[in-house]
């Protein structure tokens, strides 16, 4: 299969930090289809050789095991080309079309690694010059819009140019190997499905924690915040995969239909429930891994007195027969105690214990990062002679490290998503109605915050967020996973 992969925003951080390294790994692993060309598009005045030299320097910042050798880069970079474009000029799109028409690849993928406000105009220009034919796909990087209205407008314009099957809305969390194993865990094994319901599960916690601050992205982050940056897309996508009903097939639309049902079943927020069930915070100066860390308001490019949240914890419910009454807790934040992304499924305790001493309920921990695996926490007897009629039980864990279980052929999230985009596999991409429903659900939170911008709760960098987040869970008689240790 011949392909042309075009990156709009070819000199941006996303392209050189994530996309190009992912493509290099796909090439190194022999998974990148043959007969491909990669075209970086940007406003800088460069030629192919100049861009390749620039990219080579950038790739030296990758992890040592993922850096190309001189020989590897020479071969990989032969696929890479550069085109200077002003994205507001129709004549530049015509030049792009002429470049693509020189060989007429089997597949053309446009990856919009630009600011979302440029998505409509880029799509309109691509359509105007005929670059929306059946062999074309367009990948839209998140965040897709700033609220429901802007997301709907982007989708309206995209749909006027491309079909739904051509428009791939990316959420790279869906490409993580551990997230792929959510489907395998639930629908490829008989073990958990009978227990995956309100009768057996006490609560589910989804944590997306970052140890870093906003760094050099202060201006972008301050316009976005944790709710838009992580909850509206990543956390809700994970929630749908945990809570969805078994799809009839592995076809993309069958899966996305079930995810949409979950989003539509989420109990809607109002001003009262936002005040009760949502905690927003902002980090202050603190200590992270033994090093002093400044507060959010001291970060570069953050406006003085900003009310942007860097932490969100919320309690939600899914109003259907499987999950009625089971609380779902979502949590994300910057400058937290550690980098950690995981889903914790807390099962209910046994209805009657015959063993002495306190016992804990079973727990399934689905680890997304930095580790990638599953941990099932059970209770067992040591088998020692205690003199008692029954020995007290002790917690034990069954651990599965996916990197050790599958030491070869593992691919990263962006590598997987890029390969799927080239192949036209839609399972891991978000459909427009999913994405708009997610915005519809979070918008009452945004509205409540706009009406009361003074509800931020400070937390010290290097902690797990404001104490109110712990109180949110404790109100139901539960605790966050790290507080139970």
């Amino acid at each position: 299969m011949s392909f042309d992969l075009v990156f709009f925003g070819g000199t941006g951080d996303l392209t050189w930090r994530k996309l190009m390294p992912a493509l290099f790994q796909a090439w190194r692993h022999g998974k990148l289809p043959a007969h491909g060309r990669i075209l970086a598009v940007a406003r800088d005045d460069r030629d192919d050789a100049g861009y390749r030299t620039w990219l080579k320097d950038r790739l030296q910042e990758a992890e040592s095991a993922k850096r190309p050798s001189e020989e590897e880069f020479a071969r990989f970079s032969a696929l890479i080309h550069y085109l200077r474009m002003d994205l507001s000029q129709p004549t530049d799109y015509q030049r792009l079309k002429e470049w693509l028409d020189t060989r007429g690849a089997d597949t053309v993928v446009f990856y919009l690694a630009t600011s979302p406000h440029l998505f409509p105009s880029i799509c309109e220009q691509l359509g105007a010059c005929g670059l929306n034919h059946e062999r074309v796909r367009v990948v839209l990087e998140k965040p897709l819009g700033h609220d429901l209205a802007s997301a709907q407008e982007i989708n309206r314009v995209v749909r006027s140019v491309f079909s739904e099957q051509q428009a791939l809305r990316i959420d790279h969390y869906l490409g993580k190997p551990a997230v792929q194993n959510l489907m395998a865990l639930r629908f490829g094994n008989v073990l958990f499905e009978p227990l995956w319901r309100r009768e057996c599960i006490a609560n589910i916690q989804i944590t997306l924690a970052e140890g870093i601050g906003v760094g050099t992205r202060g201006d972008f982050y301050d316009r976005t915040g944790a709710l838009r940056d992580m909850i509206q897309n990543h956390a809700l996508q994970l929630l749908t995969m945990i809570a969805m009903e078994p799809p009839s097939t592995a076809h993309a639309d069958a899966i996305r239909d079930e995810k949409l049902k979950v989003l539509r079943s989420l109990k809607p927020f109002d001003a009262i429930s936002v005040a009760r069930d949502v905690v927003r915070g902002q980090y202050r100066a603190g200590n992270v891994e033994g090093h002093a860390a400044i507060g959010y308001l001291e970060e570069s490019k953050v406006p003085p007195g900003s009310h942007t949240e860097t932490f969100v914890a919320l309690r939600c419910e899914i109003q259907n027969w499987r999950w009625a009454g089971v609380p779902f807790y979502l949590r994300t934040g910057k400058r937290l105690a550690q980098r950690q992304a995981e889903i914790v499924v807390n099962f209910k305790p046994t209805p009657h214990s015959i063993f002495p001493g306190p016992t804990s309920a079973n727990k399934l921990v689905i680890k997304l990062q930095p580790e990638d695996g599953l941990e099932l926490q059970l209770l067992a007897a040591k088998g020692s002679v205690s003199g008692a009629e029954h020995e007290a039980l002790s917690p034990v864990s069954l651990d599965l490290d996916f990197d050790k279980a599958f030491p070869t052929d593992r691919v990263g999230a962006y590598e997987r998503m890029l390969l799927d985009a080239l192949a036209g596999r839609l399972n891991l991409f978000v459909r427009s109605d999913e994405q708009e429903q997610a915005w519809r659900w979070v918008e009452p939170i945004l509205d409540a915050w706009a009406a009361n911008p003074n509800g931020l709760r400070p937390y010290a960098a290097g902690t797990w967020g404001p104490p109110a987040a712990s109180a949110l869970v404790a109100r139901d008689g539960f605790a966050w996973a790290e507080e139970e240790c």
Side-chain angles (χ1 to χ4, degrees):
M1 179 193 81
S2 62
F3 72 87
D4 284 331
L5 175 56
V6 181
F7 289 123
F8 289 91
T11 56
D13 276 11
L14 176 64
T15 299
W16 69 262
R17 287 185 187 275
K18 299 292 186 181
L19 302 179
M20 285 295 188
L23 279 177
F24 170 69
Q25 293 303 317
W27 175 87
R28 175 187 267 178
H29 296 154
K31 297 183 181 297
L32 197 64
H35 313 298
R37 297 188 301 180
I38 302 165
L39 178 67
V41 168
R43 298 189 66 167
D44 305 50
D45 192 10
R46 289 191 173 98
D47 57 13
D48 289 358
Y51 183 79
R52 291 166 184 166
T53 299
W54 175 87
L55 181 62
K56 182 180 180 181
D57 292 340
R58 303 285 83 71
L59 291 181
Q60 295 309 304
E61 298 185 25
E63 299 174 32
S64 57
K66 297 182 178 181
R67 292 175 196 161
S69 66
E70 289 284 341
E71 187 270 338
E72 284 179 322
F73 186 78
R75 291 166 55 205
F76 172 65
S77 65
L79 307 177
I80 298 174
H81 305 269
Y82 181 82
L83 181 67
R84 184 185 181 279
M85 280 186 65
D86 181 337
L87 298 182
S88 66
Q89 296 300 314
T91 54
D92 283 5
Y93 288 87
Q94 193 60 43
R95 288 196 301 113
L96 171 62
K97 184 177 187 299
E98 292 169 2
W99 188 89
L100 294 169
D101 286 347
T102 55
R103 68 169 187 160
D106 296 329
T107 299
V108 178
V109 175
F110 297 115
Y111 197 117
L112 274 53
T114 67
S115 174
H117 79 271
L118 295 175
F119 291 177
S121 62
I122 293 174
C123 289
E124 287 176 332
Q125 295 275 21
L126 290 173
C129 69
L131 287 174
N132 61 337
H133 51 77
E134 61 183 10
R135 292 180 286 111
V136 168
R137 301 181 193 109
V138 59
V139 180
L140 307 170
E141 179 64 45
K142 74 98 180 174
L144 204 69
H146 193 71
D147 53 19
L148 177 60
S150 59
Q152 288 175 324
E153 176 60 17
I154 290 173
N155 284 330
R156 183 193 66 78
V157 174
V158 171
R159 278 194 295 265
S160 72
V161 180
F162 299 99
S163 70
E164 184 66 45
Q165 288 69 36
Q166 290 177 290
L168 282 59
R169 297 163 189 82
I170 193 169
D171 187 327
H172 71 271
Y173 260 73
L174 298 184
K176 290 180 178 294
V179 177
Q180 299 306 300
N181 272 294
L182 283 177
M183 295 285 287
L185 176 75
R186 289 200 54 199
F187 307 128
N189 300 282
V190 74
L191 181 63
F192 288 109
E193 184 57 29
L195 309 177
W196 215 256
R197 53 200 325 107
R198 66 186 186 280
E199 290 88 354
C200 298
I201 292 178
N203 68 84
I204 293 179
Q205 303 176 8
I206 299 176
T207 294
L208 304 176
E210 298 179 277
I212 61 172
V214 298
T216 60
R217 299 168 68 240
D219 54 348
F220 163 79
Y221 194 88
D222 201 70
R223 297 191 304 270
T224 306
L227 185 72
R228 292 183 175 96
D229 191 40
M230 299 294 285
I231 297 293
Q232 183 273 334
N233 40 70
H234 300 328
L236 283 184
Q237 283 295 314
L238 294 176
L239 182 148
T240 61
M241 297 188 75
I242 279 287
M244 64 189 280
E245 294 297 318
S248 57
T249 69
H251 187 271
D253 276 332
I255 294 170
R256 296 190 289 189
D257 285 345
E258 297 302 334
K259 290 164 61 183
L260 179 60
K261 290 177 185 176
V262 174
L263 291 171
R264 287 175 171 167
S265 299
L266 282 167
K267 186 177 181 179
F269 281 104
D270 56 26
I272 294 174
S273 58
V274 169
R276 182 186 65 229
D277 295 333
V278 182
V279 176
R280 54 176 163 155
Q282 188 182 88
Y283 66 84
R284 300 292 188 256
N287 191 287
V288 179
E289 296 181 352
H291 300 283
I294 60 175
Y296 177 73
L297 296 178
E298 288 77 54
E299 297 278 16
S300 174
K301 302 178 183 178
V302 171
S306 169
H307 294 286
T308 297
E309 80 286 354
T310 63
F311 175 94
V312 176
L314 60 84
R315 179 191 189 277
C316 59
E317 293 184 20
I318 299 172
Q319 297 178 309
N320 62 22
W321 276 46
R322 181 185 289 267
W323 296 114
V326 177
F328 285 72
Y329 304 105
L330 312 184
R331 174 176 61 164
T332 188
K334 290 191 174 294
R335 283 291 186 214
L336 297 182
Q338 63 188 65
R339 175 175 176 256
Q340 181 185 80
E342 67 179 22
I343 302 167
V344 179
V345 180
N346 289 300
F347 291 92
K348 291 184 176 180
T350 54
H352 173 66
S353 177
I354 63 172
F355 298 94
T359 59
S360 56
N362 301 141
K363 178 184 300 185
L364 176 66
V365 182
I366 303 164
K367 303 175 183 178
L368 307 179
Q369 67 181 28
E371 299 169 313
D372 178 13
L374 299 172
E375 179 183 342
L376 181 60
Q377 297 181 12
L378 306 171
L379 294 172
K382 294 180 180 178
S384 60
V385 178
S386 63
E389 183 177 356
H390 291 290
E391 181 182 353
L393 301 182
S394 299
V396 295
S397 295
L398 302 178
D399 285 328
L400 172 60
D401 186 325
F402 288 135
D403 287 328
K404 292 179 180 178
F406 309 111
T408 60
D409 297 327
R410 300 279 281 166
V411 299
Y414 271 110
E415 183 179 348
R416 172 66 183 269
M417 304 298 276
L418 286 165
L419 292 174
D420 280 6
L422 292 173
R425 294 187 290 265
L426 304 180
N427 296 44
L428 302 184
F429 295 95
V430 180
R431 206 167 57 191
S432 61
D433 50 3
E434 284 183 78
Q435 180 243 343
E436 289 180 13
Q437 184 61 32
W439 274 119
R440 193 170 285 112
W441 186 71
V442 303
E443 194 151 76
I445 304 176
L446 295 170
D447 291 343
W449 289 354
N452 177 23
N454 298 313
L456 280 174
R457 299 175 185 269
Y459 63 96
T463 66
W464 279 106
S470 297
L472 176 71
V473 182
R475 194 177 68 210
D476 294 327
F478 304 124
W480 294 106
E482 76 278 355
E483 296 172 342
E484 295 178 342
C485 299

